Protein backbone atom coordinates (compact mmCIF):
# COMPACT_ATOMS: atom_id res chain seq x y z
CA UNK A 1 0.00 0.00 0.00
CA UNK A 2 1.62 3.25 -1.08
CA UNK A 3 1.73 6.22 1.21
CA UNK A 4 -0.39 9.22 0.33
CA UNK A 5 1.84 12.12 -0.73
CA UNK A 6 1.54 15.16 1.40
CA UNK A 7 0.72 18.54 -0.07
CA UNK A 8 3.87 20.61 0.03
CA UNK A 9 3.46 24.35 0.54
CA UNK A 10 5.93 26.50 -1.44
CA UNK A 11 8.76 27.92 0.58
CA UNK A 12 7.85 31.50 1.59
CA UNK A 13 10.07 34.34 0.48
CA UNK A 14 12.73 35.64 2.84
CA UNK A 15 11.15 38.50 4.85
CA UNK A 16 14.23 40.68 4.40
CA UNK A 17 13.65 40.66 0.64
CA UNK A 18 10.16 42.10 1.12
CA UNK A 19 11.52 44.88 3.32
CA UNK A 20 14.35 45.74 0.92
CA UNK A 21 11.88 45.81 -1.99
CA UNK A 22 9.44 48.05 -0.11
CA UNK A 23 12.13 50.41 1.21
CA UNK A 24 13.56 50.72 -2.31
CA UNK A 25 10.14 51.74 -3.61
CA UNK A 26 9.89 54.21 -0.73
CA UNK A 27 13.30 55.61 -1.68
CA UNK A 28 12.08 56.04 -5.24
CA UNK A 29 9.02 57.89 -3.93
CA UNK A 30 11.23 60.40 -2.10
CA UNK A 31 12.95 61.34 -5.37
CA UNK A 32 9.87 62.78 -7.07
CA UNK A 33 6.85 64.98 -6.50
CA UNK A 34 5.18 64.06 -9.78
CA UNK A 35 1.68 62.92 -8.72
CA UNK A 36 1.39 60.53 -11.66
CA UNK A 37 4.62 58.72 -10.78
CA UNK A 38 3.66 58.63 -7.09
CA UNK A 39 0.24 57.21 -7.95
CA UNK A 40 1.95 54.58 -10.13
CA UNK A 41 4.26 53.63 -7.24
CA UNK A 42 1.26 53.27 -4.94
CA UNK A 43 -0.56 51.17 -7.54
CA UNK A 44 2.45 48.87 -7.95
CA UNK A 45 2.87 48.29 -4.22
CA UNK A 46 -0.89 47.79 -3.73
CA UNK A 47 -1.09 45.23 -6.53
CA UNK A 48 1.78 43.19 -5.07
CA UNK A 49 0.19 43.33 -1.61
CA UNK A 50 -3.20 42.17 -2.91
CA UNK A 51 -1.62 39.38 -4.95
CA UNK A 52 0.89 38.07 -2.39
CA UNK A 53 -0.09 38.96 1.17
CA UNK A 54 -0.80 35.93 3.39
CA UNK A 55 -3.96 35.28 5.41
CA UNK A 56 -2.43 36.46 8.69
CA UNK A 57 -3.26 39.20 11.24
CA UNK A 58 -0.37 41.47 10.28
CA UNK A 59 -1.38 41.33 6.59
CA UNK A 60 -4.56 43.26 7.42
CA UNK A 61 -2.60 46.32 8.51
CA UNK A 62 -2.25 47.64 4.94
CA UNK A 63 -5.73 49.17 5.03
CA UNK A 64 -4.77 51.04 8.20
CA UNK A 65 -1.69 52.45 6.44
CA UNK A 66 -3.91 53.48 3.50
CA UNK A 67 -6.23 55.38 5.84
CA UNK A 68 -3.21 57.01 7.50
CA UNK A 69 -1.90 58.09 4.08
CA UNK A 70 -5.25 59.66 3.18
CA UNK A 71 -5.29 61.42 6.55
CA UNK A 72 -1.83 62.85 5.89
CA UNK A 73 -2.99 64.29 2.56
CA UNK A 74 -6.16 65.75 4.09
CA UNK A 75 -4.29 67.34 7.02
CA UNK A 76 -1.65 68.81 4.70
CA UNK A 77 -4.30 70.40 2.48
CA UNK A 78 -6.23 71.70 5.49
CA UNK A 79 -3.13 73.33 6.98
CA UNK A 80 -2.28 74.89 3.64
CA UNK A 81 -5.77 76.37 3.37
CA UNK A 82 -5.73 77.72 6.94
CA UNK A 83 -2.10 78.85 7.27
CA UNK A 84 -1.31 79.77 3.70
CA UNK A 85 1.37 78.57 1.32
CA UNK A 86 4.78 80.01 0.36
CA UNK A 87 3.89 79.43 -3.29
CA UNK A 88 2.46 82.57 -4.94
CA UNK A 89 -0.71 81.96 -6.88
CA UNK A 90 -3.11 83.84 -9.10
CA UNK A 91 -5.99 81.35 -9.29
CA UNK A 92 -8.01 82.06 -6.15
CA UNK A 93 -10.39 79.25 -5.21
CA UNK A 94 -11.91 80.86 -2.11
CA UNK A 95 -11.14 83.51 0.48
CA UNK A 96 -11.35 82.60 4.16
CA UNK A 97 -11.84 85.17 6.94
CA UNK A 98 -8.34 86.31 7.93
CA UNK A 99 -7.41 86.66 11.60
CA UNK A 100 -5.10 89.63 12.34
CA UNK A 101 -1.88 88.57 14.11
CA UNK A 102 0.65 90.65 16.11
CA UNK A 103 3.80 92.04 14.55
CA UNK A 104 6.07 89.33 16.01
CA UNK A 105 4.13 86.68 14.01
CA UNK A 106 5.20 88.02 10.61
CA UNK A 107 5.20 85.37 7.90
CA UNK A 108 2.28 83.52 9.47
CA UNK A 109 -1.34 84.07 8.61
CA UNK A 110 -4.63 82.52 9.57
CA UNK A 111 -7.17 82.48 6.76
CA UNK A 112 -7.02 84.59 3.64
CA UNK A 113 -6.76 83.57 0.00
CA UNK A 114 -6.61 79.90 -0.92
CA UNK A 115 -5.03 79.48 -4.33
CA UNK A 116 -4.98 76.52 -6.68
CA UNK A 117 -1.19 76.76 -6.97
CA UNK A 118 -0.72 76.51 -3.20
CA UNK A 119 -3.06 73.52 -2.90
CA UNK A 120 -1.37 71.77 -5.83
CA UNK A 121 2.06 72.22 -4.24
CA UNK A 122 0.77 70.89 -0.91
CA UNK A 123 -0.90 67.93 -2.64
CA UNK A 124 2.28 66.94 -4.48
CA UNK A 125 4.32 67.15 -1.28
CA UNK A 126 1.76 65.21 0.77
CA UNK A 127 1.49 62.47 -1.84
CA UNK A 128 5.22 61.82 -1.50
CA UNK A 129 4.85 61.15 2.24
CA UNK A 130 1.69 59.12 1.65
CA UNK A 131 3.46 56.92 -0.90
CA UNK A 132 6.31 56.35 1.55
CA UNK A 133 3.83 55.31 4.25
CA UNK A 134 2.13 52.87 1.89
CA UNK A 135 5.47 51.30 0.95
CA UNK A 136 6.20 50.70 4.64
CA UNK A 137 2.67 49.31 5.00
CA UNK A 138 3.36 46.92 2.13
CA UNK A 139 6.41 45.57 3.94
CA UNK A 140 4.34 45.11 7.11
CA UNK A 141 1.66 43.24 5.19
CA UNK A 142 3.99 40.95 3.25
CA UNK A 143 6.83 40.10 5.67
CA UNK A 144 6.41 37.79 8.63
CA UNK A 145 7.84 39.77 11.60
CA UNK A 146 8.75 36.62 13.56
CA UNK A 147 10.75 35.19 10.67
CA UNK A 148 12.34 38.60 10.12
CA UNK A 149 13.57 38.59 13.73
CA UNK A 150 14.99 35.11 13.23
CA UNK A 151 16.98 36.32 10.22
CA UNK A 152 18.65 39.26 11.96
CA UNK A 153 22.37 39.13 12.80
CA UNK A 154 23.20 38.17 16.37
CA UNK A 155 24.48 41.65 17.21
CA UNK A 156 21.06 43.16 16.34
CA UNK A 157 18.95 40.53 18.07
CA UNK A 158 17.98 42.57 21.14
CA UNK A 159 17.24 45.69 19.12
CA UNK A 160 15.39 43.52 16.61
CA UNK A 161 13.13 42.13 19.32
CA UNK A 162 12.08 45.66 20.28
CA UNK A 163 11.44 46.58 16.64
CA UNK A 164 9.45 43.40 15.91
CA UNK A 165 7.33 43.86 19.04
CA UNK A 166 6.61 47.45 17.93
CA UNK A 167 5.76 46.33 14.38
CA UNK A 168 3.40 43.59 15.54
CA UNK A 169 1.58 45.85 18.02
CA UNK A 170 -0.48 47.69 15.38
CA UNK A 171 -1.62 44.57 13.43
CA UNK A 172 -2.58 42.74 16.64
CA UNK A 173 -4.42 45.83 17.86
CA UNK A 174 -6.37 46.06 14.60
CA UNK A 175 -7.20 42.33 14.76
CA UNK A 176 -8.48 42.74 18.35
CA UNK A 177 -10.68 45.68 17.35
CA UNK A 178 -12.21 43.70 14.43
CA UNK A 179 -12.81 40.68 16.67
CA UNK A 180 -14.47 42.69 19.42
CA UNK A 181 -16.63 44.70 17.02
CA UNK A 182 -17.83 41.49 15.37
CA UNK A 183 -18.68 40.03 18.78
CA UNK A 184 -20.65 43.16 19.72
CA UNK A 185 -22.60 43.07 16.44
CA UNK A 186 -23.54 39.44 17.07
CA UNK A 187 -24.89 40.43 20.48
CA UNK A 188 -26.89 43.34 19.08
CA UNK A 189 -24.78 46.02 20.73
CA UNK A 190 -23.50 49.20 19.05
CA UNK A 191 -19.99 49.01 17.66
CA UNK A 192 -19.70 52.50 16.12
CA UNK A 193 -19.55 56.00 17.47
CA UNK A 194 -17.98 57.29 20.66
CA UNK A 195 -19.89 54.88 22.88
CA UNK A 196 -18.87 51.83 20.88
CA UNK A 197 -15.26 53.01 20.78
CA UNK A 198 -15.12 53.47 24.55
CA UNK A 199 -16.62 50.04 25.21
CA UNK A 200 -14.21 48.36 22.78
CA UNK A 201 -11.11 50.24 23.95
CA UNK A 202 -10.88 48.71 27.44
CA UNK A 203 -10.89 45.04 26.27
CA UNK A 204 -8.33 45.92 23.59
CA UNK A 205 -5.98 47.47 26.17
CA UNK A 206 -6.54 44.50 28.47
CA UNK A 207 -5.57 42.11 25.69
CA UNK A 208 -2.46 44.16 24.91
CA UNK A 209 -1.42 43.99 28.59
CA UNK A 210 -1.94 40.21 28.66
CA UNK A 211 0.20 39.79 25.55
CA UNK A 212 2.92 41.94 27.09
CA UNK A 213 3.02 39.79 30.24
CA UNK A 214 3.05 36.58 28.21
CA UNK A 215 5.83 37.92 25.98
CA UNK A 216 7.94 38.91 28.99
CA UNK A 217 7.49 35.45 30.54
CA UNK A 218 8.41 33.71 27.28
CA UNK A 219 11.52 35.87 26.82
CA UNK A 220 12.63 35.20 30.38
CA UNK A 221 12.06 31.45 30.02
CA UNK A 222 14.17 31.35 26.86
CA UNK A 223 17.11 33.16 28.40
CA UNK A 224 16.69 36.44 26.58
CA UNK A 225 19.58 38.83 27.24
CA UNK A 226 22.30 36.27 27.96
CA UNK A 227 25.66 37.12 26.41
CA UNK A 228 28.92 35.25 25.98
CA UNK A 229 32.20 36.35 27.50
CA UNK A 230 34.47 37.95 24.90
CA UNK A 231 37.86 39.66 25.44
CA UNK A 232 37.87 43.37 26.15
CA UNK A 233 39.92 44.15 23.03
CA UNK A 234 37.27 42.44 20.87
CA UNK A 235 34.54 44.56 22.48
CA UNK A 236 36.51 47.74 21.86
CA UNK A 237 37.23 46.74 18.27
CA UNK A 238 33.54 45.95 17.71
CA UNK A 239 32.46 49.33 19.08
CA UNK A 240 35.04 51.18 17.00
CA UNK A 241 34.13 49.40 13.77
CA UNK A 242 30.40 49.91 14.31
CA UNK A 243 30.70 53.63 15.10
CA UNK A 244 33.12 54.20 12.22
CA UNK A 245 30.83 52.32 9.85
CA UNK A 246 27.76 54.29 10.89
CA UNK A 247 29.61 57.59 10.47
CA UNK A 248 30.85 56.45 7.07
CA UNK A 249 27.33 55.49 5.99
CA UNK A 250 25.99 58.90 7.09
CA UNK A 251 28.80 60.79 5.34
CA UNK A 252 28.49 58.70 2.18
CA UNK A 253 24.72 59.12 2.06
CA UNK A 254 25.10 62.87 2.49
CA UNK A 255 27.62 62.89 -0.34
CA UNK A 256 25.23 61.05 -2.64
CA UNK A 257 22.41 63.47 -1.88
CA UNK A 258 24.46 66.62 -2.52
CA UNK A 259 26.01 67.81 -5.71
CA UNK A 260 29.35 68.69 -4.08
CA UNK A 261 29.83 65.21 -2.59
CA UNK A 262 29.37 63.19 -5.74
CA UNK A 263 33.07 62.27 -5.93
CA UNK A 264 33.53 60.90 -2.41
CA UNK A 265 29.98 59.69 -1.69
CA UNK A 266 30.18 56.16 -3.12
CA UNK A 267 33.67 55.22 -1.74
CA UNK A 268 32.86 56.52 1.74
CA UNK A 269 29.49 54.76 1.74
CA UNK A 270 31.05 51.43 0.69
CA UNK A 271 33.81 51.74 3.30
CA UNK A 272 31.24 52.56 5.98
CA UNK A 273 29.10 49.57 5.05
CA UNK A 274 32.14 47.28 5.16
CA UNK A 275 33.16 48.56 8.61
CA UNK A 276 29.59 48.28 9.93
CA UNK A 277 29.23 44.71 8.64
CA UNK A 278 32.55 43.76 10.27
CA UNK A 279 31.38 45.27 13.55
CA UNK A 280 28.09 43.40 13.36
CA UNK A 281 29.91 40.13 12.65
CA UNK A 282 32.18 40.57 15.66
CA UNK A 283 29.26 41.70 17.82
CA UNK A 284 27.34 38.57 16.91
CA UNK A 285 29.90 36.48 18.80
CA UNK A 286 28.33 37.67 22.07
CA UNK A 287 24.95 36.18 21.17
CA UNK A 288 24.20 32.69 22.56
CA UNK A 289 21.30 31.80 20.29
CA UNK A 290 20.83 29.34 17.47
CA UNK A 291 18.47 29.29 14.48
CA UNK A 292 16.00 26.50 13.82
CA UNK A 293 15.42 26.05 10.09
CA UNK A 294 16.79 29.45 9.01
CA UNK A 295 15.26 31.13 5.98
CA UNK A 296 17.26 30.77 2.79
CA UNK A 297 18.11 33.72 0.59
CA UNK A 298 17.35 32.11 -2.76
CA UNK A 299 17.10 33.34 -6.33
CA UNK A 300 13.57 34.67 -5.78
CA UNK A 301 14.81 36.89 -2.95
CA UNK A 302 17.52 38.29 -5.23
CA UNK A 303 14.95 38.98 -7.95
CA UNK A 304 12.55 40.74 -5.57
CA UNK A 305 15.32 42.83 -4.01
CA UNK A 306 16.84 43.58 -7.40
CA UNK A 307 13.52 44.81 -8.80
CA UNK A 308 13.11 47.30 -5.96
CA UNK A 309 16.72 48.47 -6.13
CA UNK A 310 16.41 48.90 -9.90
CA UNK A 311 13.36 51.14 -9.42
CA UNK A 312 15.23 53.32 -6.91
CA UNK A 313 18.41 53.48 -9.01
CA UNK A 314 16.56 54.39 -12.20
CA UNK A 315 14.61 57.06 -10.33
CA UNK A 316 17.89 58.57 -9.12
CA UNK A 317 19.17 58.51 -12.70
CA UNK A 318 15.98 60.13 -13.99
CA UNK A 319 16.28 62.88 -11.36
CA UNK A 320 19.83 63.63 -12.51
CA UNK A 321 18.98 63.69 -16.22
CA UNK A 322 15.56 65.35 -16.23
CA UNK A 323 14.69 66.86 -12.83
CA UNK A 324 11.84 68.91 -14.28
CA UNK A 325 9.91 65.75 -15.22
CA UNK A 326 10.17 64.39 -11.68
CA UNK A 327 9.38 67.71 -10.00
CA UNK A 328 6.67 69.48 -12.02
CA UNK A 329 6.11 73.11 -11.25
CA UNK A 330 2.89 74.69 -10.13
CA UNK A 331 3.61 78.29 -11.23
CA UNK A 332 2.24 78.61 -13.84
CA UNK A 333 -0.36 75.97 -13.01
CA UNK A 334 -0.24 73.20 -15.61
CA UNK A 335 -1.23 69.55 -15.66
CA UNK A 336 1.71 67.24 -14.81
CA UNK A 337 3.01 64.96 -17.55
CA UNK A 338 3.93 61.31 -17.12
CA UNK A 339 7.57 60.71 -18.12
CA UNK A 340 7.71 57.47 -20.07
CA UNK A 341 10.94 55.75 -19.06
CA UNK A 342 10.69 56.60 -15.32
CA UNK A 343 7.15 55.17 -15.45
CA UNK A 344 8.49 52.03 -17.13
CA UNK A 345 11.14 51.80 -14.41
CA UNK A 346 8.45 51.92 -11.72
CA UNK A 347 6.67 49.00 -13.39
CA UNK A 348 9.72 46.84 -12.62
CA UNK A 349 8.42 46.80 -9.05
CA UNK A 350 5.63 44.44 -10.20
CA UNK A 351 8.12 41.58 -10.58
CA UNK A 352 7.47 40.10 -7.06
CA UNK A 353 3.83 39.46 -8.03
CA UNK A 354 5.03 36.98 -10.68
CA UNK A 355 8.19 35.36 -9.26
CA UNK A 356 6.99 34.68 -5.70
CA UNK A 357 4.62 31.85 -4.72
CA UNK A 358 0.97 32.53 -4.09
CA UNK A 359 0.04 32.64 -0.40
CA UNK A 360 -1.51 29.50 1.09
CA UNK A 361 -5.26 29.48 1.42
CA UNK A 362 -5.13 28.32 5.06
CA UNK A 363 -4.92 30.71 7.96
CA UNK A 364 -1.47 29.54 9.01
CA UNK A 365 1.63 30.52 7.13
CA UNK A 366 4.37 27.87 7.01
CA UNK A 367 7.27 28.89 9.24
Amino acid sequence: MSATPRHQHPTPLHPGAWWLWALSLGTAATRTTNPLLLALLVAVSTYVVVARRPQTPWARSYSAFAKLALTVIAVRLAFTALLGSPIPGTHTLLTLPEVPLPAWAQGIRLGGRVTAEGLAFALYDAMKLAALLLCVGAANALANPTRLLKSLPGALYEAGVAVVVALTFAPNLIADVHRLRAARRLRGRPDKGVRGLLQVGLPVLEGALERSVALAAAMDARGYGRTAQVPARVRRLTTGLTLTGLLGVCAGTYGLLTAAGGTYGVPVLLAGLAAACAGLWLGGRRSLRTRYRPDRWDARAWLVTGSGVAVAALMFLAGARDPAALHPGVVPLTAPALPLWPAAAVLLGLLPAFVTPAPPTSRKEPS
Side-chain angles (χ1 to χ4, degrees):
M1 184 176 179
S2 60
T4 303
R6 295 182 178 180
H7 177 69
Q8 297 292 334
H9 289 290
T11 304
L13 189 71
H14 195 288
W18 283 127
W19 271 99
L20 290 176
W21 169 81
L23 292 178
S24 298
L25 292 187
T27 303
T30 61
R31 305 306 303 171
T32 179
T33 55
N34 190 315
L36 300 180
L37 285 177
L38 291 172
L40 188 60
L41 278 168
V42 170
V44 166
S45 62
T46 303
Y47 179 82
V48 175
V49 168
V50 172
R52 290 296 179 262
R53 66 176 173 182
Q55 298 293 329
T56 49
W58 64 81
R60 305 170 189 168
S61 62
Y62 190 72
S63 59
F65 278 91
K67 294 176 182 177
L68 179 61
L70 293 176
T71 303
V72 166
I73 295 176
V75 170
R76 183 72 168 86
L77 293 177
F79 270 87
T80 300
L82 292 176
L83 303 179
S85 173
I87 302 300
T90 57
H91 297 79
T92 303
L93 298 179
L94 70 157
T95 303
L96 299 176
E98 188 168 356
V99 178
L101 296 177
W104 53 265
Q106 291 183 356
I108 303 175
R109 70 172 178 84
L110 292 176
R113 294 172 58 246
V114 180
T115 62
E117 290 84 354
L119 288 180
F121 178 79
L123 177 63
Y124 295 173
D125 196 51
M127 286 185 65
K128 179 167 66 174
L129 180 56
L132 181 59
L133 286 173
L134 287 173
C135 290
V136 175
N140 276 278
L142 293 168
N144 188 329
T146 305
R147 290 174 46 229
L148 180 64
L149 173 64
K150 187 172 65 174
S151 304
L152 286 177
L156 298 177
Y157 179 68
E158 296 181 359
V161 169
V163 173
V164 169
V165 170
L167 289 176
T168 55
F169 174 77
N172 287 328
L173 192 68
I174 294 171
D176 285 347
V177 170
H178 285 303
R179 177 175 54 83
L180 291 170
R181 291 182 63 184
R184 291 183 64 84
R185 285 195 297 268
L186 289 174
R187 295 169 184 169
R189 298 179 181 178
D191 63 314
K192 296 181 180 180
V194 178
R195 181 181 178 183
L197 181 62
L198 292 177
Q199 294 181 355
V200 168
L202 184 59
V204 168
L205 293 178
E206 182 181 358
L209 181 59
E210 291 178 355
R211 281 196 303 271
S212 301
V213 174
L215 177 62
M219 293 168 65
D220 184 65
R222 296 174 183 179
Y224 175 76
R226 293 181 301 170
T227 57
Q229 295 293 331
V230 295
R233 58 183 181 84
V234 176
R235 291 199 301 269
R236 289 193 293 267
L237 179 60
T238 302
T239 304
L241 285 174
T242 304
L243 291 178
T244 303
L246 293 177
L247 291 175
V249 169
C250 293
T253 305
Y254 176 78
L256 290 177
L257 296 177
T258 58
T263 56
Y264 69 85
V266 174
V268 173
L269 179 61
L270 294 178
L273 288 175
C277 290
L280 292 177
W281 179 76
L282 288 175
R285 297 172 61 182
R286 300 178 65 243
S287 178
L288 294 174
R289 69 187 187 96
T290 58
R291 291 187 178 95
Y292 174 66
R293 293 196 302 179
D295 291 310
R296 296 175 55 190
W297 191 276
D298 53 10
R300 297 172 306 166
W302 284 113
L303 287 174
V304 170
T305 304
S307 66
V309 172
V311 173
L314 291 174
M315 198 64 69
F316 270 92
L317 182 60
R321 289 192 172 184
D322 191 8
L326 267 63
H327 301 278
V330 295
V331 179
L333 186 62
T334 56
L338 180 65
L340 294 182
W341 74 268
V346 172
L347 293 178
L348 293 175
L350 289 173
L351 185 62
F354 304 100
V355 300
T356 57
T361 55
S362 62
R363 288 286 177 179
K364 293 184 179 179
E365 183 189 27
S367 58

